[in-house]
Amino acid sequence: MMLSLSRRAAALTFTLILGTGLGGLGGAQDTGIPAVPVPPPSATPPEPPSPVVPPTVVPPAEPAPPAPAQPQPVQPQPEPSQPAPPSPTTPPVLMPGPLVPAPPVRTVPAPAGPAVPVPVTVNPAPALPRAPVGSGVRGLWVDAFGPGLKTRVQVTQMVEDAARMGVNTLFVQAIRRADCLCLKASVPRATDPDLEKGLDPLGLAVRLAHARGMRVIAWISVTGMANTAAPNTNPAHISRTHGPDSGAASWMARRADGSWQEGNDGWLDLGIPEAAEYAIQGVVSLVKNYGIDGVQLDRIRYPDGDVWGYDPKVLARYRAETGRTGTPGINDTVWQDWKRQQVTNVVRRIALEIKALRPDAWITAATITYGAPPAPGDLAAFRRTRTYGDVLQDWPAWMQSGLIDLNVLMNYKRDAVGEQGQWFDGWNAFARGVPARIDGLSAGVAAGTAMYLNGAPVTAAQAQRSVGAGLGWVGYSYRTPTLEVYGAKQTTAQGLNSLQKLLTAPGAALASPSPWKEKPPTTRGLMGRITGTPVPGFRVVEALQGGQVVAYSLTDGGGYYGFAALPPGKTEVRVSGQRWVDTVPERGVVRLPDLTVRDLKPVTTAPLPVMPAILTPARP
């Protein structure tokens, strides 16, 4: 029987319809580790793509990056308890995204008739198996918090060093805290005193890297907004126009007590539609203005702790969209799922906006791998991890919905510490085992390794294991390529040389440099928007092909919805009593006209309906 969804079915983060069950870079850990030696005051510690960690020391686990603004030791973080089970009175929630299988093709027998000669054909040799998506990536993160991107000389040297190492893809930090190391973005330029006047680091990196046959992925901290130790001094920067002292105009993620600092950082709250739109347009502006090969979404999540989202505007929107009253507790599963959906909404919108501009641009994300990994294929176990329940990042669903082309795991583990070596391999295996999309394609996976927390031999070994498992590889970071460099026992040049010798040795991961020319798996999509209602968000959207629902989505706070992995062909979209029929192309993104919604009664009074945790698709 086909599941009937009410016009306002409150589905927050749908459970995968197939019944199988989606941070910024950073090595935020789950249990304590020995502190890493602190660099001298003249050096700035690296900010790997994300988390900030509280100073609790417990048994060994995976490492955490320090805050970017000033030298400090890596602080450990306690292993959290398992997420609280849902209350018996809390309705289960649904997760949009992967897609029910298309109905089977029915074969019609040929009519009877006179026999005709059948030509004898020679079967072609079987095609060689295709390499997994992204397995050819040999990447290097280049952060914006130290030497590497600040002057023309540094950018030139960085590209030369990467080429000598055998790297074929540079993940160049562009937008770090709502400001850019570039000149042509919708966000202001970074106000770094070491940044050479008039220099466009992103533009120069693209030109030099392309000349050497390397790709450039612009690395963006999506929710980065402010840092108290190194604030942006531009009066137009959002930390000043929408910062902590902006009253109702603030866009900052806040705790229940109104506080906003996580270490020295302030984060955007993606539950505020205007803040989400600002972040989205910042990413899209890079694709419009630079010949980059793609983008990487970092800090695409909530800060650690799951105690965020309590800005009054966010709470008001949550109540209006769900019909709930009062202030949700931090363990309220409906509240958690709603916030998690806000993150997925931004990923979806960025992916579709970029694919509409350039279908062959790569959409990548730097994703969290906290704690012990789930077994391959066990998406239910993933939903019990801190990645899903703490920072509210649902990256398996992003992969299955076609929202990202390449998942770059922030698999920041130390082989010599506890079980971290096994965790490293386990997370790689889990990511590679995420089921394929409805269109039969799969997102790629690359293992991101914390070079700054390991000696060169461990990094080379992790790179080799990753490549041997059919994954790509990306190292963090160019500026701190070894633990010895991070601990001020080697210069950057010495660390790069020692690492280069091991990575390019015969049989090593980068021994045979070759360009990464592969095209992304997602090159088409469909997107639209609903209007005419004061509460446009949180509406279930169905996509139907051949009379069957093949995908679900949800509208975001601006009324936008979309799909990125539908098979091409005639598609019907249904949302809030409206419908539209169009054709998903082989390549490109179809933009549907705005669909006007007329609510017959106040939506704020609608109760949250009880819905099954797993949708069962109708059978043809």
Side-chain angles (χ1 to χ4, degrees):
M1 177 180 295
M2 192 66 182
L3 177 67
S4 173
L5 297 178
S6 69
R7 183 168 58 89
R8 292 207 65 259
L12 293 170
T13 51
F14 291 17
T15 302
L16 297 185
I17 294 169
L18 294 178
T20 55
L22 218 202
L25 297 176
Q29 76 251 26
D30 305 284
T31 55
I33 56 170
V36 173
V38 182
S42 60
T44 303
E47 180 180 82
S50 190
V52 178
V53 199
T56 306
V57 178
V58 291
E62 58 195 287
Q70 58 188 9
Q72 56 182 305
V74 173
Q75 296 293 332
Q77 176 168 319
E79 181 75 26
S81 59
Q82 291 292 335
S87 164
T89 60
T90 301
V93 291
L94 306 172
M95 186 174 71
L99 316 162
V100 301
V105 177
R106 297 180 179 178
T107 304
V108 178
V116 294
V118 178
V120 177
T121 59
V122 177
N123 292 327
L128 295 174
R130 294 183 59 183
V133 174
S135 60
V137 174
R138 305 291 182 267
L140 188 63
W141 275 301
V142 185
D143 69 81
F145 294 93
L149 296 172
K150 303 297 183 69
T151 69
R152 295 175 191 274
V153 171
Q154 288 179 12
V155 176
T156 302
Q157 184 64 52
M158 178 270 295
V159 173
E160 291 299 315
D161 290 339
R164 187 171 61 253
M165 189 182 291
V167 165
N168 60 23
T169 306
L170 296 174
F171 292 80
V172 175
Q173 190 161 35
I175 297 177
R176 56 181 191 180
R177 299 187 190 110
D179 54 14
C180 192
L181 272 79
C182 67
L183 299 176
K184 297 181 288 186
S186 63
V187 300
R189 188 173 191 258
T191 56
D192 187 326
D194 296 328
L195 190 57
E196 183 178 324
K197 185 177 181 180
L199 175 65
D200 189 325
L202 179 60
L204 180 58
V206 169
R207 179 169 62 83
L208 295 179
H210 282 181
R212 299 297 298 264
M214 289 185 277
R215 281 179 163 174
V216 174
I217 305 294
W219 160 20
I220 299 106
S221 176
V222 178
T223 55
M225 179 172 177
N227 183 274
T228 57
N232 188 294
T233 59
N234 188 327
H237 189 265
I238 61 170
S239 63
R240 298 170 183 273
T241 59
H242 298 283
D245 301 321
S246 300
S250 173
W251 289 351
M252 308 200 75
R254 294 180 184 271
R255 301 179 183 88
D257 63 3
S259 60
W260 57 270
Q261 280 189 235
E262 176 71 350
N264 289 325
D265 284 345
W267 295 54
L268 282 173
D269 194 321
L270 298 181
I272 301 172
E274 296 82 3
E277 185 68 22
Y278 187 87
I280 290 164
Q281 294 306 323
V283 180
V284 173
S285 71
L286 299 182
V287 178
K288 288 180 177 179
N289 296 313
Y290 292 92
I292 55 178
D293 299 285
V295 299
Q296 178 163 89
L297 308 182
D298 180 26
R299 286 200 176 185
I300 183 67
R301 60 183 184 88
Y302 275 84
D304 286 353
D306 191 26
V307 295
W308 305 88
Y310 287 91
D311 180 278
K313 298 184 295 299
V314 177
L315 291 171
R317 181 181 160 216
Y318 168 74
R319 296 175 188 128
E321 292 184 358
T322 65
R324 295 202 158 211
T325 59
T327 299
I330 60 174
N331 293 322
D332 185 320
T333 56
V334 175
W335 169 236
Q336 293 171 331
D337 290 333
W338 185 88
K339 289 189 293 181
R340 189 182 299 107
Q341 185 61 41
Q342 307 317 305
V343 179
T344 294
N345 287 343
V346 171
V347 178
R348 175 184 295 112
R349 179 80 184 288
I350 289 173
L352 292 171
E353 292 285 357
I354 289 176
K355 295 295 183 179
L357 291 169
R358 287 170 46 195
D360 289 339
W362 283 82
I363 310 297
T364 80
T367 59
I368 298 294
T369 61
Y370 282 161
D378 193 347
L379 297 181
F382 175 81
R383 293 194 296 275
R384 295 191 294 269
T385 66
R386 283 188 56 218
T387 301
Y388 185 87
D390 185 330
V391 299
L392 308 177
Q393 190 181 79
D394 192 4
W395 53 254
W398 303 350
M399 295 173 68
Q400 285 195 280
S401 300
L403 304 185
I404 59 174
D405 300 308
L406 179 68
N407 181 5
V408 184
L409 307 174
M410 291 185 292
N411 207 352
Y412 293 178
K413 311 295 189 294
R414 296 175 175 178
D415 282 1
V417 177
E419 299 175 286
Q420 289 186 29
Q422 298 175 22
W423 291 359
F424 178 86
D425 297 331
W427 276 109
N428 287 346
F430 172 78
R432 280 282 285 123
V434 171
R437 310 172 340 182
I438 187 177
D439 59 4
L441 302 177
S442 295
V445 180
T449 60
M451 303 192 307
Y452 79 109
L453 292 176
N454 289 292
V458 172
T459 292
Q462 290 185 343
Q464 184 64 26
R465 300 205 308 271
S466 303
V467 171
L471 282 66
W473 173 82
V474 185
Y476 185 86
S477 75
Y478 167 74
R479 180 164 57 98
T480 51
T482 66
L483 174 62
E484 290 75 20
V485 173
Y486 182 52
K489 297 178 181 179
Q490 280 183 333
T491 65
T492 296
Q494 289 171 334
L496 288 170
N497 286 335
S498 63
L499 186 61
Q500 181 262 333
K501 290 178 181 178
L502 293 176
L503 287 175
T504 60
L510 278 64
S512 303
S514 60
W516 179 45
K517 297 183 178 181
E518 179 183 18
K519 290 186 177 182
T522 299
T523 60
R524 62 178 177 270
L526 177 154
M527 66 184 300
R529 184 178 64 165
I530 65 168
T531 60
T533 173
V535 186
F538 202 51
R539 309 288 180 113
V540 176
V541 187
E542 299 173 323
L544 296 87
Q545 292 183 342
Q548 299 291 315
V549 176
V550 294
Y552 295 89
S553 180
L554 284 173
T555 56
D556 65 14
Y560 287 95
Y561 62 87
F563 305 93
L566 296 178
K570 185 177 179 180
T571 303
E572 178 183 346
V573 170
R574 296 177 183 174
V575 53
S576 295
Q578 303 298 308
R579 61 190 294 268
W580 188 266
V581 178
D582 215 312
T583 300
V584 175
E586 292 284 349
R587 187 175 185 275
V589 173
V590 172
R591 289 182 182 267
L592 303 186
D594 290 353
L595 300 178
T596 302
V597 170
R598 296 289 183 242
D599 294 314
L600 300 179
K601 59 183 178 180
V603 296
T604 54
T605 62
L608 188 69
V610 177
M611 303 183 73
I614 298 176
L615 292 177
T616 302
R619 299 298 179 187

